[in-house]
Amino acid sequence: MSEAPPVLEVRGISKRFPGVLANDSVDLTLRKSQVLGLLGENGAGKSTLMNMIYGLYKPDEGEILVNGAPVQIAGPKDAIELGIGMVHQHFQLVDVLTVTENVMLGNETVSGPFLRRDRARREIEQLSREYGLDVDPDAQISDLPVGIQQRVEIIKALYRHADILILDEPTAVLTPQETRGLFKIMRTLLDKGVSIIFISHKLKEVLEICDDVVVLRRGKVAGHADPSASTEQSLASLMVGRDVILEVDKAQASPGDKILNVVNLHVHDDRGLPAVEGLSFALQRGEILGIAGVQGNGQTELVEALTGMRAVEDGRVFIQDTDMTNASPRRVTERGVGHVPEDRQRDGLVASFTVMHNLVLSTYYQSAFSRAIVVDERAIADNARELVEAYDVRPPIINNIAGGLSGGNQQKVIVAREFSRDVDLLIASQPTRGLDVGSIEFIHRQIVRMRDSGAGILLVSSELDEVLSLADRVAVMFEGEIIDILAIDEADRDTVGLRMAGVRGDSQAVVDA
């Protein structure tokens, strides 16, 4: 008996943009009930390739086959009809609509002139039960945590009868617990005959969940890897084309004067409920203080309060001995503070501005880039060319619109802007989210360099490995409080994990079991 054809095959696909060959004769094969990992640096061509499979771009050369037959995919509607679904890194959901309304959008069930929400709702409930997705059809999207929003996107694809599912950086914004939940869902999907393309920069996850791996480098297939016979190091080297140092190389910290002092801070969330409750800590020059904790325990509101983006209800914030409580973001910046925000699209960039103008959002009015009321475009362009090269922003075209870059390259623009300024305090929230291993290695070196030059670093990351490898001290947040601060030689994974679950140093749980 002959072997069944692949459910999806890409042969010799190429795609060009002005000045850029994004994909160069790429081949890819996906088989039934398989998880195919797709790896590559930021700008390697992964998203471009997936966008052609999903009909958002048209290939310049090559062909796409579904179940052995050549197909023409002129748009997402064609892809959906062929059973191809895509969950984008940045979710395509309408916040003010319910789960049911989002799932129906563009594929409405009608009876005469009337929408059949009831029928759609029943089908969503059935899909939720069948695949273990656990989603309330009546919930409003804006009220759902990011992990549940991702499940809604998966339900959208299944509602449209997708049996080929593209997951683009699906764990980039998930907690470890949410990631485990996603992997459980993926395994259920495989059991039901769904085939999955899994794009990720997290090499541990690729080794855990994938059956085969394709690596792209600068638009070409650099090689294939068998996860069962690969290591993080071998995958990293194949991606980048050189040996990558996965461990952070840093000397012992030499802390100096206090740069940040937070005293009895109280902050509310968007619903007006307490998010930070009586929190106090200090950060010294020349040290990295890592904030660990499951996402949603007040880290976001803490960072926003420190950087002038959210009101402080009570307590004080001192930067370099100056009371900066409820200071404006510009005042905070001018006090020598750099800020890499958690939400790059909402708070880190102006998506409609060019790369070169995003690189001076904090400094465009200063003498280096303006004369009186006139902006010096040449100086801004020279600055951009230097930073784009130093931080390997791809494509390296300073007049590109920032919103058109991949998520990882958007992050590089923000990091380049904030790290290149002469700052005394860096507040970095998820600084390597969506970045490839080579870029993470570079960013980690820059953070250590800034520490060694005398800056204080407040690092907030949902990646526990990142916190443990970079931090000199680890503060653990739980339900709006810091429940422990550990020296790095005391902060092993098990101890920090217990604190993240609400267990204090005396082994007494913060909350009842």
Side-chain angles (χ1 to χ4, degrees):
M1 181 182 292
S2 61
E3 185 180 4
V7 295
L8 176 69
E9 192 172 2
V10 170
R11 295 179 181 171
I13 286 285
S14 295
K15 181 63 180 178
R16 297 174 181 83
F17 297 102
V20 178
L21 180 57
N23 288 135
D24 186 1
S25 300
V26 173
D27 296 327
L28 178 147
T29 300
L30 175 68
R31 300 198 175 276
K32 187 175 179 64
S33 297
Q34 178 191 48
V35 180
L36 176 65
L38 184 61
L39 288 178
E41 296 179 272
N42 301 120
K46 305 183 299 297
S47 294
T48 299
L49 179 62
M50 294 303 103
N51 284 334
M52 285 189 284
I53 292 172
Y54 196 58
L56 294 170
Y57 294 153
K58 182 179 179 182
D60 294 324
E61 298 166 9
E63 62 177 348
I64 299 172
L65 295 84
V66 174
N67 295 316
V71 296
Q72 295 294 322
I73 305 177
K77 185 174 183 293
D78 291 344
I80 291 166
E81 289 176 354
L82 289 165
I84 301 171
M86 185 169 179
V87 177
H88 299 267
Q89 182 178 350
H90 301 292
F91 304 148
Q92 312 293 300
L93 299 172
V94 181
D95 283 351
V96 298
L97 299 182
T98 66
V99 169
T100 297
E101 290 164 343
N102 268 277
V103 171
M104 291 178 67
L105 200 60
N107 192 37
E108 290 82 359
T109 302
V110 296
S111 179
F114 302 106
L115 280 176
R116 292 301 306 272
R117 286 187 180 85
D118 55 338
R119 186 181 301 171
R121 187 183 184 283
R122 286 195 298 273
E123 188 168 347
I124 291 166
E125 285 182 323
Q126 181 182 342
L127 289 169
S128 186
R129 285 193 303 271
E130 184 177 353
Y131 292 94
L133 290 160
D134 192 22
V135 173
D136 177 4
D138 300 320
Q140 187 168 309
I141 294 297
S142 60
D143 295 332
L144 298 178
V146 67
I148 303 300
Q149 290 187 29
Q150 186 179 70
R151 295 182 184 189
V152 176
E153 287 280 25
I154 293 172
I155 286 176
K156 274 174 58 178
L158 297 174
Y159 184 81
R160 290 159 172 76
H161 309 293
D163 50 23
I164 298 169
L165 191 59
I166 301 168
L167 301 179
D168 188 3
E169 294 286 353
T171 65
V173 295
L174 300 187
T175 66
Q177 292 85 349
E178 288 171 330
T179 297
R180 286 195 291 273
L182 173 65
F183 285 0
K184 183 178 179 181
I185 291 165
M186 288 173 64
R187 292 184 178 104
T188 302
L189 291 168
L190 297 176
D191 291 342
K192 302 284 187 179
V194 176
S195 306
I196 299 171
I197 297 177
F198 182 82
I199 305 172
S200 180
H201 291 303
K202 299 182 181 181
L203 303 182
K204 282 184 181 177
E205 296 175 359
V206 170
L207 292 173
E208 177 182 347
I209 197 68
C210 295
D211 302 303
D212 190 15
V213 177
V214 173
V215 179
L216 295 185
R217 191 189 314 145
R218 297 190 180 276
K220 295 184 177 182
V221 174
H224 295 255
D226 177 359
S228 65
S230 301
T231 64
E232 290 180 69
Q233 189 67 61
S234 67
L235 290 180
S237 298
L238 189 56
M239 283 174 60
V240 180
R242 60 174 175 82
D243 288 338
V244 178
I245 301 172
L246 297 178
E247 298 293 327
V248 177
D249 182 19
K250 64 184 176 76
Q252 185 91 12
S254 300
D257 298 336
K258 195 180 296 181
I259 184 71
L260 173 67
N261 192 22
V262 179
V263 182
N264 194 33
L265 196 69
H266 292 260
V267 183
H268 290 171
D269 64 17
D270 290 339
R271 299 167 295 173
L273 300 175
V276 176
E277 302 189 73
L279 183 148
S280 298
F281 69 91
L283 170 66
Q284 295 168 275
R285 293 178 181 273
E287 74 160 345
I288 301 170
L289 176 62
I291 303 285
V294 176
Q295 192 78 12
N297 277 277
Q299 302 97 313
T300 299
E301 290 80 6
L302 169 63
V303 169
E304 290 177 349
L306 297 180
T307 54
M309 297 169 59
R310 182 177 293 271
V312 172
E313 301 297 326
D314 195 13
R316 315 306 297 172
V317 176
F318 296 91
I319 299 174
Q320 301 190 56
D321 294 328
T322 299
D323 190 343
M324 300 293 286
T325 311
N326 286 326
S328 68
R330 177 174 283 197
R331 273 197 66 208
V332 172
T333 298
E334 291 177 342
R335 194 59 186 162
V337 179
H339 176 212
V340 178
E342 175 184 329
D343 189 330
R344 58 178 166 244
Q345 292 195 324
R346 186 186 70 181
D347 301 321
L349 297 167
V350 178
S352 59
F353 283 15
T354 62
V355 168
M356 62 183 272
H357 289 116
N358 270 283
L359 286 166
V360 292
L361 284 182
S362 306
T363 51
Y364 68 90
Y365 59 92
Q366 296 177 357
S367 59
F369 302 116
S370 67
R371 296 189 179 94
I373 62 171
V374 179
V375 172
D376 187 343
E377 293 286 341
R378 179 175 294 180
I380 290 173
D382 289 344
N383 172 72
R385 278 189 282 269
E386 181 180 332
L387 293 180
V388 160
E389 180 178 358
Y391 286 80
D392 194 25
V393 178
R394 301 183 192 176
I397 302 171
I398 64 172
N399 289 310
N400 274 354
I401 299 301
L405 299 179
S406 69
N409 280 289
Q410 290 178 7
Q411 188 75 1
K412 287 183 184 180
V413 170
I414 297 166
V415 168
R417 180 184 68 224
E418 300 302 312
F419 283 30
S420 62
R421 294 195 295 115
D422 184 16
V423 300
D424 296 301
L425 170 63
L426 174 68
I427 300 174
S429 186
Q430 319 298 341
T432 59
R433 177 173 283 170
L435 295 184
D436 59 69
V437 288
S439 299
I440 290 171
E441 176 195 39
F442 177 76
I443 297 307
H444 285 176
R445 285 204 311 267
Q446 296 305 307
I447 289 174
V448 173
R449 174 190 61 78
M450 295 173 75
R451 181 205 71 168
D452 292 346
S453 67
I457 314 291
L458 184 67
L459 171 71
V460 181
S461 177
S462 57
E463 297 292 332
L464 184 53
D465 288 340
E466 181 167 59
V467 172
L468 294 179
S469 61
L470 277 176
D472 302 303
R473 292 187 297 144
V474 178
V476 184
M477 285 191 70
F478 181 81
E479 293 188 346
E481 300 179 56
I482 288 180
I483 67 169
D484 204 354
I485 298 182
L486 301 164
I488 193 59
D489 56 1
E490 301 171 342
D492 59 86
R493 289 186 65 88
D494 290 340
T495 301
V496 176
L498 284 171
R499 302 295 185 271
M500 289 170 64
V503 179
R504 294 186 187 272
D506 58 4
S507 298
Q508 296 299 310
V510 175
V511 292
D512 293 332

